[in-house]
């Protein structure tokens, strides 16, 4: 009899690992011994270990294991040919199980996409599969998909999040032979908010509350426009203080690749160069901003909010992404062309960068210079302080 083992992909100490499903003393599988995850089956073909997705439920993985055992036994007895059929593929029938197709698609996403992308796809498609349990893919109607969209919206999900879910589901449908599904659905309108930027007053208070280490860290966020993980994985080898440049580079051995796998280089100011020149470098550590243990710092957001609270600012309004949008806004207002800022930000489209061309904050003073003919001007009103919310 063929030996096909069952394993489960679970998260342990912040990392995804494979664990064999243990057995009880009586020989039965102990399904409850491992946390939530996705099942796989494993078997050996000579010196090569093979693995195949088995689904998210016990019933699914047992069925996949049973079929694989029969296939291997059939090959050993010569009952099943090892040659691939030369006939053209069989047309899509009406009996493809939705859960099986989703598992196959997620296996492809996990192999080809970044871990964060896979986790997003997995959450969306698992929710979708739970809504259509034990259904066949071709049997799901457009009306049922519309009902699913309505259910997401009524659950409290924001319109943009609903659309993000539908895009992922539509990509799955296209890969499975039912393209153009989004054009058939009634979708909520996308909300396009103006980018948010910190004021100079807010930044001054924030940096006054920083120690030297965090002043250098958040100045790097502010003066490079780097994303959180791009600063997290910033190595000293990425920074050239003489040429005044900082780079975003891939770190395959650390499991980091830039967004869309695009590396880039941005110029930095002499002020940031001075901060980094005086920033201590830990011996034997490549990270510019390491954790206390010398690994990558994963609590940058928590520290950011703690500093904001210490500075008497609203911690809810302080996050790492807003440093990035503030960088883009300041660069564009300083006169740099949109195409240059697009490259520095690592944006795919010019339209995304142009969103950061938000209105200036000193418009009220300039408006007072424009009067209505024949009417006396009122006393100039001092413009109110522009808050973060006012830039939305």
């Amino acid at each position: 009899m063929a030996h096909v083992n069952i394993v489960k992909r679970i998260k342990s100490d912040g990392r995804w690992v494979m664990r064999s499903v243990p057995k009880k003393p009586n020989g039965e599988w102990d399904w409850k011994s491992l946390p939530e995850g996705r099942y796989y089956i494993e078997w050996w073909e000579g010196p090569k270990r093979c693995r195949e997705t088995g689904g998210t439920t016990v019933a699914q993985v047992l069925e996949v294991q049973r079929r694989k055992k029969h296939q291997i036994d059939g090959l050993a007895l010569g009952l099943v040919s090892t040659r691939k059929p030369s006939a053209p593929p069989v047309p899509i029938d009406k009996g493809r199980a939705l859960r099986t197709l989703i598992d196959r698609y997620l296996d492809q996403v996990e192999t080809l996409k970044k871990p964060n992308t896979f986790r997003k796809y997995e959450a969306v498609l698992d929710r979708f599969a739970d809504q259509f349990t034990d259904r066949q893919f071709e049997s799901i109607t457009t009306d049922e998909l519309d009902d699913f969209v309505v259910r997401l919206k009524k659950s409290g999900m924001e319109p943009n999040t609903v659309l993000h879910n539908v895009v992922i589901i539509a990509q799955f449908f296209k890969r499975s032979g039912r393209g153009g599904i989004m054009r058939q659905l009634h979708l909520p309108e996308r909300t396009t908010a103006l980018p948010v930027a910190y004021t100079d007053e807010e930044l001054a208070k924030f940096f006054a509350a920083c120690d030297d280490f965090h002043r250098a860290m958040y100045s790097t966020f502010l003066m490079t426009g780097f994303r959180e993980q791009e600063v997290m994985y910033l190595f000293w080898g990425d920074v050239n203080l003489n040429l005044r440049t900082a780079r975003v580079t891939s770190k395959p051995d650390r499991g980091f690749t830039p967004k869309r796998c695009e590396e880039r280089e941005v110029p930095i100011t002499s002020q940031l160069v001075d901060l980094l020149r005086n920033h201590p470098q830990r011996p034997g550590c490549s990270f510019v901003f390491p954790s206390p243990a010398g690994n990558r710092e994963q609590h940058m957001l928590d520290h950011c909010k703690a500093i904001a609270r210490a500075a008497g600012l609203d911690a809810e309004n302080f996050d790492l992404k807003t440093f990035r949008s503030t960088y883009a806004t300041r660069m564009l207002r300083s006169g740099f062309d949109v195409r240059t800022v697009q490259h520095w930000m690592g944006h795919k489209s010019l339209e995304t960068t142009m969103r950061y061309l938000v209105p200036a904050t000193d418009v009220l003073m300039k408006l007072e210079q424009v009067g209505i003919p024949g009417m006396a001007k009122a006393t100039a009103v001092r413009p109110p302080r522009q808050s973060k919310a006012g830039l939305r």
Side-chain angles (χ1 to χ4, degrees), residues 94-127:
K94 302 299 182 182
R96 296 187 298 169
L98 174 66
R99 183 72 254 185
T100 301
L101 290 179
I102 287 178
D103 290 338
R104 184 183 304 157
Y105 179 67
L106 286 175
D107 191 46
Q108 297 170 0
V109 172
E110 184 177 21
T111 303
L112 301 175
K113 303 290 186 180
K114 297 176 69 173
N116 283 346
T117 303
F118 169 72
R119 285 192 286 270
K120 292 175 184 177
Y121 276 55
E122 184 180 39
V124 171
L125 292 175
D126 282 349
R127 183 190 300 114

Side-chain angles (χ1 to χ4, degrees), residues 77-94:
L77 296 172
L79 302 177
V80 179
S81 174
T82 58
R83 294 180 301 171
K84 294 184 178 179
S86 57
V90 178
I92 295 175
D93 58 22
K94 302 299 182 182

Side-chain angles (χ1 to χ4, degrees), residues 310-379:
L313 299 164
D314 187 352
E316 291 296 321
N317 291 336
F318 267 78
D319 55 67
L320 305 177
K321 187 175 181 180
T322 305
F323 279 102
R324 176 171 162 82
S325 61
T326 302
Y327 167 82
T329 300
R330 297 175 87 201
M331 293 301 105
L332 291 170
R333 285 183 182 167
S334 297
F336 292 102
D337 66 272
V338 179
R339 180 65 184 86
T340 298
V341 177
Q342 177 194 5
H343 171 71
W344 291 346
M345 293 286 286
H347 286 154
K348 183 177 180 180
S349 68
L350 198 63
E351 182 181 358
T352 302
T353 310
M354 292 180 66
R355 290 183 58 245
Y356 292 91
L357 287 167
V358 295
T361 57
D362 58 350
V363 294
L364 292 182
M365 293 297 292
K366 294 181 179 179
L367 280 174
E368 289 301 323
Q369 301 173 15
V370 182
I372 302 174
M375 293 184 61
K377 291 185 179 180
T379 304

